[in-house]
Amino acid sequence: MDLKSKVVMITGAGGPMGKAIAKRFYEEDAKLVLTDISENRLLQTIDMLTDENGSNKNIFYLRSDVLNKKEIKEVVNKAIGIYKKIDILVNIVGGIRAKKMDQPILEMENERWDQTMDLNLKGGINCIKLIAPQMIESESGKIINISSINFAGEPGYADYGAAKAAVASFTKTAAMELGPYINVNCIAPAVIQTSVLDRMDKETLDYYRDRTLLKRLGKPEDVANTALFLASNQSDYITGEIIAVSGGVSPHL
Ligand SMILES: NC(=O)c1ccc[n+]([C@@H]2O[C@H](COP(=O)([O-])OP(=O)(O)OC[C@H]3O[C@@H](n4cnc5c(N)ncnc54)[C@H](O)[C@@H]3O)[C@@H](O)[C@H]2O)c1
């Protein structure tokens, strides 16, 4: 890949997917800007990237809440102060904050709706508004959002599915508005082997595995490899797309 001189900002870099994506870009000698709301998780990612000599060059990290405009602005300003630019933005923050993963619509409180929409959509928008102007000025940039195949609908996940459909729609509009210099795409994973597995029973996991054509759950590395492709010049003619990383669930949707 061609990422040696590229600066990549990754939000939610302390989560399992964030970790795998940070690792994959680091292996390609990209310069990293990493942020997460959890200082502890962020430090675990830094630890993973640090070699046995204690070296982790070309990594800038700072804790922030992507929903807090002041905090994320500080990350972006400091990163641009160091690297002079951000070439690639990977918006990973998202998910379901509620304790109970699945909840029927008739029992779903408005508070959960608001929380899920904010977490999945607004943090990414905050980052794009701060970083895209500089990408336009330098006439190049790649933005990768994370949706989910749940955007097509999934019983028990009305809030999450709607939020991820919003991410997919936002991706398309952003590609239209920010072209021709910025490519904006999103990845729509199926169930990936992350901490969500701890929140599902065996029967549910068997169902999700069996409905893939490849008969396995996804790995964070499957998403990381796709993010790398979308960030590289190998995907220069791809924008406004929703790329499923689903082991073949998507043909059924
Ligand atoms: N895991 C899956 O099966 C799966 C499937 C499809 C899509 N996705 C999506 O992939 C993305 C990553 O998934 P994951 O399983 O690694 O999630 P995760 O919740 O384990 O990790 C997300 C990271 O984001 C951080 N974070 C949460 N709120 C934040 C905020 N306001 N500001 C900054 N950081 C914040 C968390 O501390 C965590 O480290 C999410 O958008 C999720 O919806 C996940």
Side-chain angles (χ1 to χ4, degrees):
M1 298 280 177
D2 55 324
L3 295 162
K4 205 172 169 76
S5 62
K6 301 292 185 187
V7 181
V8 185
M9 174 159 157
I10 302 170
T11 72
M17 231 179 261
K19 258 191 186 146
I21 292 174
K23 181 167 182 278
R24 196 66 193 87
F25 279 96
Y26 199 57
E27 284 165 358
E28 297 293 328
D29 290 328
K31 297 177 173 132
L32 303 185
V33 178
L34 305 179
T35 191
D36 196 287
I37 199 168
S38 159
E39 178 95 38
N40 193 23
R41 278 196 283 269
L42 191 54
L43 289 175
Q44 284 175 21
T45 300
I46 302 304
D47 204 37
M48 176 196 69
L49 298 172
T50 304
D51 68 19
E52 60 274 15
N53 303 318
S55 168
N56 57 22
K57 59 179 170 35
N58 290 332
I59 304 176
F60 167 70
Y61 65 94
L62 187 62
R63 192 216 75 92
S64 78
D65 174 354
V66 288
L67 296 172
N68 180 321
K69 288 184 190 167
K70 205 169 142 223
E71 287 186 13
I72 197 66
K73 192 171 180 184
E74 191 188 349
V75 176
V76 171
N77 285 349
K78 285 194 169 157
I80 290 181
I82 295 167
Y83 296 127
K84 314 293 172 224
K85 58 174 187 166
I86 293 172
D87 301 292
I88 297 151
L89 168 65
V90 191
N91 282 316
I92 294 177
V93 171
I96 301 165
R97 201 175 283 165
K99 227 176 180 172
K100 186 165 165 27
M101 285 276 283
D102 57 326
Q103 183 121 59
I105 293 167
L106 300 185
E107 293 167 18
M108 204 176 281
E109 301 287 348
N110 283 353
E111 196 191 359
R112 172 168 165 154
W113 277 98
D114 293 345
Q115 207 177 52
T116 308
M117 291 309 274
D118 284 357
L119 185 66
N120 288 278
L121 193 60
K122 288 199 188 151
I125 294 173
N126 285 343
C127 293
I128 289 172
K129 283 172 80 174
L130 287 168
I131 296 167
Q134 166 254 300
M135 288 178 169
I136 292 168
E137 207 176 304
S138 58
E139 301 191 355
S140 117
K142 303 253 178 158
I143 297 172
I144 300 151
N145 299 319
I146 308 286
S147 176
S148 160
I149 59 155
N150 277 17
F151 81 85
E154 183 80 43
Y157 296 92
D159 58 333
Y160 183 65
K164 290 306 196 185
V167 171
S169 170
F170 174 78
T171 297
K172 287 183 178 289
T173 305
M176 292 168 195
E177 288 190 16
L178 303 177
Y181 297 124
I182 307 181
N183 301 51
V184 191
N185 291 291
C186 74
I187 299 174
V191 177
I192 303 294
Q193 293 174 41
T194 57
S195 46
V196 290
L197 266 61
D198 305 335
R199 301 166 76 188
M200 293 178 186
D201 59 30
K202 186 181 174 305
E203 198 182 314
T204 309
L205 285 173
D206 286 348
Y207 164 73
Y208 283 132
R209 191 192 55 242
D210 290 347
R211 77 175 187 174
T212 68
L213 301 183
L214 299 178
K215 301 299 170 205
R216 71 166 174 87
L217 296 175
K219 293 181 281 196
E221 292 74 23
D222 295 319
V223 178
N225 285 329
T226 309
L228 193 73
F229 168 68
L230 290 174
S232 77
N233 63 6
Q234 308 290 308
S235 62
D236 278 353
Y237 203 51
I238 300 177
T239 194
E241 296 291 353
I242 304 162
I243 314 282
V245 177
S246 71
V249 177
S250 47
H252 292 305
L253 300 176

